[in-house]
């Protein structure tokens, strides 16, 4: 609870504070708990994945086979200012510095041989 209060007071920076203000109280506690876990264990990629799935319901996280330091995140919601602040909080707090991330909002990218992602009217191409 103290860590949650510190984030809300801006001790951990403006981005963290702005993102926390956009979360519900139970989500704020989840973020603070996960940050405490990172401080204790140093395992921030696991924490990034864990808290991202808690905050963004239905999100899917993929790690590139070709580039181990690259991940792709699908968030099944249209990007708006509130969600963008939440995303920045999670990305900047938990994603290791040496990782690259690309986020896809509302529209999933196509994956060959996975029919659910290969709909012509609802696919992101990159």
């Amino acid at each position: 609870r103290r860590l949650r209060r510190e984030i809300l007071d801006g001790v951990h920076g403006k981005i963290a504070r702005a993102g926390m203000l956009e979360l519900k109280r139970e989500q704020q506690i989840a973020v603070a708990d996960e940050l405490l876990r990172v401080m204790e264990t140093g395992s921030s990629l696991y924490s990034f994945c864990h808290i991202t799935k808690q905050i963004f319901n239905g999100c899917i996280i993929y790690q590139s086979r070709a580039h181990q330091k690259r991940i792709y995140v699908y968030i099944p919601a249209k990007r708006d200012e509130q969600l963008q602040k939440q995303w920045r909080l999670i990305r900047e707090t938990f994603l290791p510095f040496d990782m690259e991330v690309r986020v896809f909002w509302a529209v999933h990218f196509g994956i060959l041989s996975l029919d659910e992602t290969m709909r012509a009217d609802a696919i992101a191409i990159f």
Side-chain angles (χ1 to χ4, degrees), residues 72-124:
Y72 303 98
V73 178
Y74 163 65
I75 299 174
K78 290 188 178 185
R79 180 172 47 183
D80 62 21
E81 187 175 340
Q82 176 186 9
L83 292 177
Q84 187 67 26
K85 286 179 182 177
Q86 293 173 2
W87 168 249
R88 288 185 66 200
L89 163 68
I90 301 304
R91 186 191 68 214
E92 305 228 354
T93 304
F94 295 101
L95 189 68
F97 291 116
D98 61 343
M99 297 293 292
E100 295 177 37
V101 64
R102 177 142 185 210
V103 64
F104 294 84
W105 295 91
V107 180
H108 199 289
F109 52 90
I111 300 174
L112 295 176
S113 76
L114 190 58
D115 293 339
E116 300 86 43
T117 67
M118 295 301 289
R119 296 186 318 229
D121 62 334
I123 188 172

Side-chain angles (χ1 to χ4, degrees), residues 19-78:
M20 282 292 266
L21 290 172
E22 298 298 332
L23 298 173
K24 296 175 184 168
R25 186 176 191 281
E26 61 272 4
Q27 290 176 317
Q28 292 175 351
I29 292 169
V31 168
D33 286 346
E34 204 62 47
L35 184 56
L36 182 59
R37 183 182 341 251
V38 169
M39 291 174 166
E40 292 173 347
T41 66
S43 176
S44 61
L45 182 57
Y46 170 82
S47 292
F48 169 80
C49 294
H50 187 254
I51 196 66
T52 299
K53 290 178 181 181
Q54 282 188 309
I55 301 299
F56 299 106
N57 293 329
C59 81
I60 304 171
I61 302 171
Y62 301 92
Q63 185 171 13
S64 173
R65 287 185 181 165
H67 306 282
Q68 293 295 314
K69 298 288 185 179
R70 186 176 299 157
I71 59 174
Y72 303 98
V73 178
Y74 163 65
I75 299 174
K78 290 188 178 185

